[in-house]
């Protein structure tokens, strides 16, 4: 006899034990005796670490005062950071001109907001502003010499400001250059391909320190007499080229993951090579490379600390210099903790942004 | 014969392959292909796997380059001239076995992309045209979805609509149904049949023999890079001449 079902089964909510906070705790933390033990041990370890950190950084720490003598607590003495805060943020940028850096930050924040926010529908304008106008504004704003702004030599730039300049310029140059190198490496023209492969492999084969050292010490030897680049510019060139080589390999990975059929479909519709690359292949390749691209950015951001060896005073170097001050001996821990926390905030933000962007760009089911 | 009659004859020919050869490295894939397709003619190409069917139709819009002989599409000979290649690609639509939709664009954007960028059609107009063709392939309600959210049959119909948006005079199909589940094959074939009824010039690589019988003006059998036999469907299926064709037909009709 055939069994026939005549009624449709209604949709039901999931069983309560599976959902909600209680359900999650039941399933994940206390589902077996071993799990209970592990949960208890983990909570204990986290508790010890967190409570020690909090008492070091806050409860037993000193915040008030303005000299070494005010460091009376057993925890951190943030007075050191407070007193030197201006220098840590701006380096030796003249105090009266520091507003220019702040204006630069604000203009940058506006641009970033325009690009990230869902409120702005047409991304053309914020993108144009951020990639064409903003860099030029910043150049004049920071270095001065025009519009009645006094000249601030790049040797006076420093601290977090210099770190951000190094990181953003390198990122700004590395991504487009990396894309060009990646496309060149896949080009059908042998000369182009060989040049790109040669560049990438040469740069990837040496440590960043060497590249920086070469660009600051060796480059002047090769340049004609009298031609002398700014030390910061040389560091920027070195870092940008270095990260472009890495970026090229990341983007190449993305390009290789795009099926050949995409390019063929674009071509068969009459799109030219550059249209097909720009509209079809690259958007998809970049999308799947977002995690690795951001990973490279984060690495690059932290690598900016290496400019220490060519005598630029970035965030780390300026704090390090501060800890050797006779009046503030013994402040190394506070200094490095502060530097680490600052780097962490920036890198973590980049990481979260990449996750957000990936979800936003996700279309359809993963297959 | 007068010159006028000559050009008249030329205008009636959509695609012409004359003594065409192609090699992949040392491998001789296509051997002395001669084929002339009249305007409005529908040709079905079949043959065993690896016989060069895909390669042949991909040469027609220059996704593959041929090394010897001539290919003339719409009166334009295919050479290395990029301008001419682009001109031909605008007039020739292609539908692939694996759809090759652009996954990062919505169905509507898939359809409007080429008209906007290649034909410089204004966006609103391109969208109106796209909706018209999406209605024709019976999926206007999916316009704002992404390809990844559609079934295989729906995706292939979008791919057909996408090609039609460029208003091509010739359509090439490379096994458009062989990646589909059986129940989705007929929805795609129906779309192709209605296209054929409108007088589109079509070359279809397919093993759907039912489709060949209804639609084709000519059925072509290829093997090992050669066109072995071509005939109207009735003759081709009822009275195949070569042994290779007979063997092939007995195999696929046996499986069908
Ligand atoms: N890019 C390539 N390089 C080298 N050989 C190739 C290339 N593409 C195809 N071939 C070979 O050319 C021959 C013809 O391939 P083609 O794809 O045209 O066959 P087909 O008739 O379409 O087969 P199928 O029914 O499996 O799609 C095959 O032997 C294949 O291995
Ligand atoms: Mg094929």
């Amino acid at each position: 006899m055939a069994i026939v079902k005549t009624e449709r089964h209604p949709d039901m909510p999931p069983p309560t034990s599976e959902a909600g906070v209680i359900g999650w705790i039941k399933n994940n933390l206390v589902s077996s005796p071993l799990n209970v033990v592990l949960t208890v041990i983990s909570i204990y370890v986290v508790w010890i670490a967190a409570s020690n950190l909090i008492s070091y950084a806050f409860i037993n720490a000193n915040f008030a005062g303005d000299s070494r003598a005010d460091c009376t607590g057993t925890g951190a003495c943030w007075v050191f950071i407070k007193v030197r805060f201006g220098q840590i943020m701006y380096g030796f940028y003249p105090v009266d001109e520091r507003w220019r850096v702040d204006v630069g930050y604000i203009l940058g924040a506006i641009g970033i907001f325009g690009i990230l926010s869902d409120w702005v529908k047409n991304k053309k304008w914020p993108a144009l502003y951020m990639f064409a106008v903003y860099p030029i504004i910043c150049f004049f704003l920071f270095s001065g010499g025009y519009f009645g702004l006094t000249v601030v030599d790049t040797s006076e730039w420093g601290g977090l400001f210099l770190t951000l300049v190094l990181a953003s310029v390198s990122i700004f140059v590395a991504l487009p250059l990396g894309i060009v190198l990646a496309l060149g490496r896949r080009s059908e023209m042998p000369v182009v391909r060989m040049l790109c492969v040669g560049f990438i492999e040469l740069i990837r084969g040496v440590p960043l320190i060497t590249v920086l050292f070469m660009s600051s010490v060796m480059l002047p030897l090769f340049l004609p007499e009298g031609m002398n680049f700014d030390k910061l510019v040389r560091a920027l060139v070195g870092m940008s080229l270095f990260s472009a080589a890495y970026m090229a390999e990341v983007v190449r990975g993305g390009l290789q993951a795009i099926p050949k059929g995409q390019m063929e479909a674009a071509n068969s519709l009459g799109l030219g090579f550059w249209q097909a690359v720009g509209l079809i292949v690259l958007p998809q390749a970049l999308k799947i490379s977002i995690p690795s691209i951001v990973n490279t950015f984060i690495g690059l951001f932290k690598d900016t600390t290496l400019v220490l060896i060519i005598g630029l005073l970035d965030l780390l170097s300026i704090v390090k210099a501060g800890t050797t001050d006779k009046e503030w001996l013994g402040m190394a821990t506070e200094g490095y903790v502060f530097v680490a926390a600052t780097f962490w905030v920036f890198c973590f933000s980049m990481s979260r942004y990449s996750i957000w962007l990936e979800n936003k760009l996700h279309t359809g089911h993963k297959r | 014969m007068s010159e006028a009659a000559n050009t008249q004859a030329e205008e009636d020919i959509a695609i012409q392959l004359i003594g065409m050869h192609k090699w992949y490295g040392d491998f001789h894939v296509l051997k002395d292909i001669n084929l002339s397709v009249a305007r409005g003619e529908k040709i079905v190409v079949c043959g065993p796997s690896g016989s060069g069917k895909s390669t042949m139709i991909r040469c027609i819009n220059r996704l593959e380059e041929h090394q010897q002989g001539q290919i003339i599409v719409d009166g334009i000979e295919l050479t290395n001239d990029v301008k001419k290649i682009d001109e031909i690609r605008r007039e020739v639509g292609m539908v692939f076995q694996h759809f090759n939709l652009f996954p990062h664009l919505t169905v509507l954007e898939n359809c409007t992309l080429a008209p906007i960028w290649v034909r410089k059609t204004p966006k609103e107009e391109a969208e109106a045209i796209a909706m018209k063709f999406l209605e024709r392939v019976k999926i206007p309600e999916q316009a704002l979805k992404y390809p990844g959210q559609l079934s295989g049959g729906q995706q292939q119909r979008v791919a057909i609509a996408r090609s039609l948006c460029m208003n091509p005079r010739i359509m090439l199909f490379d096994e458009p149904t062989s990646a589909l589940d059986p129940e989705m094959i007929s929805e795609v074939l129906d779309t192709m049949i209605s296209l054929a009824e409108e007088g589109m010039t079509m070359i279809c690589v397919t093993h759907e023999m039912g489709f060949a019988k209804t639609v084709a003006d000519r059925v072509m059998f290829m093997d090992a890079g050669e066109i072995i036999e071509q005939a109207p469907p009735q003759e081709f299926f009822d009275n195949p001449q070569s042994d290779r064709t007979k063997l092939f037909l007995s195999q696929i009709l046996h499986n069908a």
Side-chain angles (χ1 to χ4, degrees), chain A residues 260-270, chain B residues 96 99-100 102 162:
Chain A
K260 250 181 99 196
Q262 291 288 309
M263 189 76 181
E264 290 176 351
N267 284 337
S268 78
L269 287 166
Chain B
F96 301 85
F99 331 133
N100 296 356
F102 307 132
R162 177 177 72 177

Side-chain angles (χ1 to χ4, degrees), chain A residues 260-262 264-272 275 279-280 283-284 363-365 367, chain B residues 58 61 63 89 92 96 100-104 113-114 117-118 146 148-149 155 162 166:
Chain A
K260 250 181 99 196
Q262 291 288 309
E264 290 176 351
N267 284 337
S268 78
L269 287 166
L271 287 127
Q275 284 178 331
L279 296 167
I280 305 301
Q284 296 183 58
T363 58
H365 305 289
R367 286 217 171 142
Chain B
R58 288 157 59 85
N61 65 354
L63 289 183
R89 283 176 179 165
V92 180
F96 301 85
N100 296 356
L101 292 176
F102 307 132
H104 62 306
L113 185 88
W117 287 89
V118 180
Y146 286 94
Q149 299 165 316
Q155 291 192 44
R162 177 177 72 177
M166 282 298 280

Side-chain angles (χ1 to χ4, degrees), chain B residues 7-67:
Chain B
T7 48
Q8 178 63 39
E10 256 168 38
E11 270 188 7
D12 288 342
I13 292 176
I15 303 169
Q16 206 167 11
L17 278 67
I18 307 165
M20 192 264 273
H21 291 257
K22 169 159 184 68
W23 288 263
Y24 282 124
D26 289 336
F27 177 48
H28 201 167
V29 211
L30 294 176
K31 300 164 188 163
D32 192 31
I33 303 287
N34 288 288
L35 172 69
S36 170
V37 183
R39 241 179 236 308
E41 197 177 7
K42 289 109 189 95
I43 293 189
V44 165
V45 182
C46 59
S49 181
S51 56
K53 308 176 298 288
S54 301
T55 310
M56 184 185 76
I57 69 165
R58 288 157 59 85
C59 282
I60 295 174
N61 65 354
R62 197 61 163 198
L63 289 183
E64 302 288 350
E65 203 174 315
H66 64 286
Q67 281 99 13

